[in-house]
Amino acid sequence: MDATPRSTRLSVLIPFAVVTLIWGSTWLVIKDQLAVVPPSWSVCYRFAVGGVAMLAWAAVRRDRLTLDLRGLLFAAGLGLAQFVFNFNFVYRAEQHITSGVVAVVYALLLVPNALLARVFLGQLMGRQLLIGSAVAMAGVALLFVHEARLSPVGPHEALIGIGIALAGVLSASIANVMQATRIARNYPMSTMLGWAMLIGSALDAAFAFVTVGGPVIETRGGYIAGLAYLGVIGSAITFSIYFRLIRTIGPAKAAYTSVLIPVIAMLLSTVFEGYRWSLLAGAGAGLVMAGLVIALKARRPNR
């Protein structure tokens, strides 16, 4: 029997890296989406694009395109948690705090993912995974302090933004654990995700209409290109890969993408925005990487 942990195999590491790199880049794109269009409408457009792309892919794969009532209800719940609450919280948090701080707050996804997976899926965290998580969280703490020092907003705005981001983390965690359940496995991934995105987009549109009024669109090329990138690459493609990772290695280990994403976002910001590293940020990034290596090498404990 192969004693190598599944999470260290290339079949896991390659999609893990793809998810991390793509989502690490989306923070820059989201920031550009906030200039003219209200966040709720941007979220709505993003998942309308993502849902159509996902169902088109399902058709190419010749997956069943319809869901029964149970599947539709599950898709609605998934869409509400992941594509309505989570992303509305993300976009609104970036109106109060910098994208770097929001990305770091989302690194905490590891904690509720592990707890909810223990409660609802019976998945345990072994000692090595706990040690890796502790090391990574220490790195996240250093990154958070670094980003907080750079934030131009006052403590009141910062607390509001962090609170909104934490609500988004909890919503995302609920959706993550839903994807690891037996119900989710009974349906084609592409079909389930496509309908979840489209239902989420419809709910986003209703929420946007009630809270900010009728649709607003920005015809600027950068906005349209960013919307296409977020909808197709940052949503349809990446969520497909990420939810498959959850089913393969569990919500706790899959959540390490969120731990690494702030580091990727900071590296990209260095290239595109002239971001300057500090000793604190470097130490935090180093601890995150060390914790990641320790955790991914952990074997799943016996129940």
Side-chain angles (χ1 to χ4, degrees):
M1 181 180 293
D2 187 1
T4 304
R6 183 181 296 180
S7 51
T8 61
R9 299 173 187 174
L10 286 178
S11 59
V12 168
L13 292 178
I14 291 175
F16 188 97
V18 170
V19 168
T20 304
L21 289 171
I22 293 175
W23 275 345
S25 70
T26 57
W27 297 101
L28 290 173
V29 184
I30 289 174
K31 183 178 178 181
D32 184 64
Q33 298 272 297
L34 298 175
V36 175
V37 181
S40 299
W41 281 115
S42 284
V43 173
C44 168
Y45 303 149
R46 173 177 178 170
F47 294 115
V49 172
V52 170
M54 202 71 257
L55 289 181
W57 175 241
V60 170
R61 287 172 48 88
R62 297 186 178 178
D63 289 335
R64 179 164 48 100
L65 295 180
T66 59
L67 298 173
D68 56 22
L69 180 59
R70 185 176 72 159
L72 281 173
L73 290 175
F74 187 87
L78 181 64
L80 184 65
Q82 184 75 69
F83 305 125
V84 179
F85 288 141
N86 175 32
F87 278 89
N88 273 287
F89 285 137
V90 168
Y91 280 63
R92 277 169 172 74
E94 289 204 23
Q95 291 183 316
H96 298 275
I97 52 180
T98 65
S99 60
V101 175
V102 177
V104 172
V105 172
Y106 263 75
L108 299 175
L109 182 65
L110 170 67
V111 177
N113 266 22
L115 293 176
L116 292 179
R118 177 70 183 94
V119 173
F120 293 104
L121 304 176
Q123 295 181 359
L124 303 176
M125 290 184 72
R127 186 172 69 173
Q128 187 171 346
L129 185 55
L130 287 170
I131 292 172
S133 300
V135 173
M137 286 298 101
V140 169
L142 293 181
L143 290 175
F144 182 81
V145 172
H146 171 77
E147 291 293 334
R149 286 181 175 179
L150 296 178
S151 178
V153 302
H156 178 70
E157 282 291 299
L159 286 175
I160 292 175
I162 291 168
I164 293 172
L166 286 173
V169 169
L170 181 58
S171 302
S173 184
I174 292 171
N176 284 187
V177 174
M178 287 179 69
Q179 266 300 316
T181 61
R182 290 182 180 179
I183 295 178
R185 295 173 187 271
N186 289 334
Y187 300 94
M189 172 81 74
S190 52
T191 304
M192 175 60 70
L193 266 177
W195 282 108
M197 287 183 186
L198 289 179
I199 293 171
S201 176
L203 294 173
D204 287 325
F207 176 72
F209 193 84
V210 170
T211 56
V212 297
V216 178
I217 189 69
E218 185 179 1
T219 57
R220 179 173 55 90
Y223 180 84
I224 301 299
L227 195 61
Y229 179 80
L230 291 171
V232 177
I233 298 176
S235 299
I237 293 175
T238 318
F239 272 108
S240 299
I241 300 171
Y242 179 64
F243 283 156
R244 204 166 296 281
L245 274 177
I246 288 176
R247 296 184 185 185
T248 304
I249 61 177
K253 284 189 177 181
Y256 266 84
T257 55
S258 68
V259 175
L260 194 54
I261 281 169
V263 179
I264 301 299
M266 291 160 67
L267 288 170
L268 291 174
S269 182
T270 302
V271 176
F272 295 105
E273 297 181 323
Y275 180 88
R276 293 187 178 183
W277 288 75
S278 69
L279 183 61
L280 200 62
L287 285 174
V288 164
M289 293 299 296
L292 175 67
V293 171
I294 294 170
L296 290 182
K297 286 185 176 180
R299 293 177 175 84
R300 182 172 292 184
N302 296 324
R303 295 185 183 185

